[in-house]
């Protein structure tokens, strides 16, 4: 079957994958979550990408009853409109299993009725991008099992999950059965305790897959956590800075969508640059003021403070909702060049 990579850090690439391996991947997920024949599942992701395809394959493998809705940011609204009787018993399970991207979960949480319906999904997995800290905090108290997933198109969706709700919440990903991971420590990546993750999942990949994700391995030798991507390292004045780490800190103090990228700098080589979403039609009270930005910067190490702050109508996103790092960098570079030209 022909699939395409997401394109968040480069041009989307076509991949031919074996259906038998997709079936094995589905089996690993269903076994991990304890799904059984006759359980219900929700398909609210585009079938043009691996995440949507794999929901169908899981339904086939485990004989799940699959409900399909339009893949927009309010999948629960579609269920409410189609089957209003489903909202009557707030204590019954709505679906045994569903997969969403962070933007779908965030949008659903803004509506009380949709929020309550999210809580009625026995296993809700969230993938396709990192989950912001404030969103994860909102999900921490959910009574159902909410999971963050780790994986990519090359691994036929996720190969590890991390519980983010309830007392079993964990900061570390647990690989699925028969999945082995290791850390490669390159001398040129600027880290002594961290390196890039390598995945060995023989049921879904014929050869070990070396990623660009910088990871830490737990003391148990099996669990791991992701701290950023090698692609997103900014080398400024000889110091290597991880873009995702800056974003995680700033999101705790700035409410508007943001992205950390880089632009060429004559003195430092590369300069840390902040893109802050500033739509023209949004009420000014929602936007980050200069005072709020500088207050947030106090929580950063001096070398990580953005040299440029660029306000933009929208943070560039890929079709799957991830930050488009390539487009963001091009936007930042063009803005800085135009500013210098005006000066």
């Amino acid at each position: 079957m022909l699939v395409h990579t997401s394109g968040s850090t480069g041009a989307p690439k076509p991949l031919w994958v074996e259906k038998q391996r997709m079936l094995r991947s589905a089996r690993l997920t269903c076994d991990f979550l304890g799904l059984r024949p006759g359980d219900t599942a929700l398909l609210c992701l585009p079938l043009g990408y691996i995440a949507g395809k794999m929901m169908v394959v899981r339904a086939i493998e485990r004989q799940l009853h699959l409900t399909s809705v339009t893949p927009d940011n309010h999948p629960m609204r579609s269920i409410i409109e189609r089957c209003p009787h489903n909202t009557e018993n707030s204590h019954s399970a709505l679906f045994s299993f569903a997969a969403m991207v962070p933007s779908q979960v965030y949008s659903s949480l803004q509506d009380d009725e949709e929020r309550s319906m999210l809580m009625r999904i026995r296993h809700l997995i969230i993938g396709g991008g990192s989950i912001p800290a404030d969103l994860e905090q909102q999900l921490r108290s959910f009574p159902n099992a909410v999971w963050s997933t780790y994986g990519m198109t090359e691994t036929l969706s996720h190969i590890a999950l991390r519980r983010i709700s309830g007392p079993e919440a964990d900061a570390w990903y647990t690989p699925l059965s028969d999945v082995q991971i290791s850390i490669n420590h390159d001398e040129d990546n600027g880290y002594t305790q961290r390196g890039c993750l390598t995945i060995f999942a023989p049921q879904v990949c014929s050869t070990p897959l070396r990623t660009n994700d910088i990871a830490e391995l737990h003391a148990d030798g099996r669990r791991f956590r992701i701290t950023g991507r090698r692609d997103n390292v900014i080398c400024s004045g000889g110091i290597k800075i991880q873009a995702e780490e800056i974003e995680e800190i700033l999101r705790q103090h700035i409410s508007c969508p943001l992205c950390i990228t880089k632009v060429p700098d004559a003195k430092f080589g590369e300069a840390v640059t902040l893109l802050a979403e500033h739509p023209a039609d949004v009420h000014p009270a929602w936007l980050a003021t200069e005072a709020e930005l500088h207050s947030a910067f106090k929580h950063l190490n001096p070398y990580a403070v953005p040299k440029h702050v660029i306000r933009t109508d929208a943070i560039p996103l890929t079709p799957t909702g991830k930050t488009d790092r390539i487009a963001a960098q091009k936007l930042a570079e063009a803005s800085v060049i135009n500013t210098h030209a005006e000066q």
Side-chain angles (χ1 to χ4, degrees):
M1 182 173 288
L2 181 65
V3 299
H4 292 82
T5 59
S6 65
S8 57
T9 58
K13 297 182 299 182
L15 295 173
W16 285 100
V17 299
E18 300 172 34
K19 293 179 182 178
Q20 188 61 35
R21 292 190 184 276
M22 296 175 76
L23 201 64
R24 294 172 188 167
S25 172
R27 188 173 300 121
L28 291 175
T29 296
C30 292
D31 288 347
F32 185 95
L33 298 177
L35 298 177
R36 299 178 179 179
D39 280 346
T40 55
L42 173 65
L43 171 63
C44 57
L45 297 170
L47 282 172
Y49 295 91
I50 190 66
K53 287 181 170 65
M54 286 306 302
M55 282 300 296
V56 177
V57 177
R58 293 172 193 132
I60 294 172
E61 195 284 332
R62 197 50 49 108
Q63 301 174 43
L64 307 175
H65 295 295
L66 188 66
T67 297
S68 175
V69 299
T70 301
D72 59 22
N73 272 335
H74 290 274
M76 294 294 96
R77 180 54 51 187
S78 297
I79 297 298
I80 294 170
E81 294 172 353
R82 183 186 301 181
C83 306
H85 62 277
N86 278 329
T87 64
E88 295 174 0
N89 186 355
S90 61
H91 300 291
S92 64
L94 185 63
F95 293 103
S96 306
F97 176 48
M100 298 183 186
V101 295
S103 62
Q104 289 177 313
V105 177
Y106 174 84
S107 298
S108 297
L109 290 178
Q110 309 312 305
D111 181 276
D112 290 340
E113 193 173 16
E114 293 178 38
R115 179 189 181 92
S116 66
M117 294 183 75
L118 282 184
M119 295 182 183
R120 293 170 55 196
I121 299 172
R122 181 152 60 93
H123 289 286
L124 172 61
I125 65 174
I126 307 173
S130 60
I131 302 176
D134 59 340
L135 178 57
E136 185 168 330
Q137 185 60 39
Q138 291 184 63
L139 297 168
R140 186 64 54 84
S141 61
F142 269 43
N144 53 333
V146 184
W147 306 83
S148 171
T149 67
Y150 173 80
M152 56 204 72
T153 305
E154 292 86 344
T155 60
L156 306 181
S157 191
H158 55 263
I159 52 88
L161 292 97
R162 176 175 67 87
R163 180 75 176 256
I164 62 177
S165 67
E168 299 174 32
D170 194 354
W172 302 82
Y173 286 98
T174 298
L176 301 177
S177 63
D178 202 34
V179 174
Q180 304 295 323
I181 58 100
S182 61
I183 306 293
N184 283 298
H185 296 280
D186 290 342
E187 294 181 359
D188 63 346
N189 70 9
Y191 296 97
T192 56
Q193 301 300 322
R194 295 175 288 177
C196 289
L197 189 74
T198 292
I199 302 166
F200 182 59
Q203 294 199 48
V204 297
C205 293
S206 58
T207 59
L209 176 64
R210 182 168 180 173
T211 75
N212 280 329
D213 290 321
I214 298 173
E216 294 180 68
L217 187 63
H218 192 274
D220 61 18
R222 179 162 173 75
R223 289 181 294 161
F224 66 94
R225 61 184 177 189
I226 303 297
T227 59
R229 281 187 63 86
R230 186 173 181 176
D231 322 60
N232 301 332
V233 172
I234 301 168
C235 186
S236 184
I239 297 176
K240 294 188 176 181
I241 305 159
Q242 193 67 48
E244 293 91 341
E245 293 180 356
I246 305 176
E247 291 172 348
E248 183 176 355
I249 294 172
L250 292 181
R251 287 190 179 115
Q252 298 176 34
H253 307 281
I254 301 174
S255 59
C256 68
L258 57 86
C259 167
I260 289 293
T261 185
K262 60 188 177 183
V263 298
D265 187 90
K267 180 178 180 179
F268 297 102
E270 295 176 339
V272 178
T273 302
L274 169 66
L275 290 181
E277 195 162 291
H278 188 116
D281 58 348
V282 172
H283 192 280
W286 182 81
L287 304 172
T289 65
E290 294 297 328
E292 287 173 328
L293 289 176
H294 289 293
S295 177
F297 292 167
K298 293 179 181 179
H299 298 274
L300 299 172
N301 286 321
Y303 58 80
V305 173
K307 183 177 180 181
H308 306 284
V309 176
I310 299 169
R311 298 184 183 274
T312 180
D313 286 339
I315 301 297
L317 300 176
T318 68
T320 55
K322 297 181 182 179
T323 299
D324 189 329
R325 298 284 178 179
I326 301 297
Q329 184 174 342
K330 290 180 179 179
L331 174 62
E333 290 176 354
S335 177
V336 170
I337 290 173
N338 290 338
T339 300
H340 287 169
E342 292 173 359
Q343 292 175 346

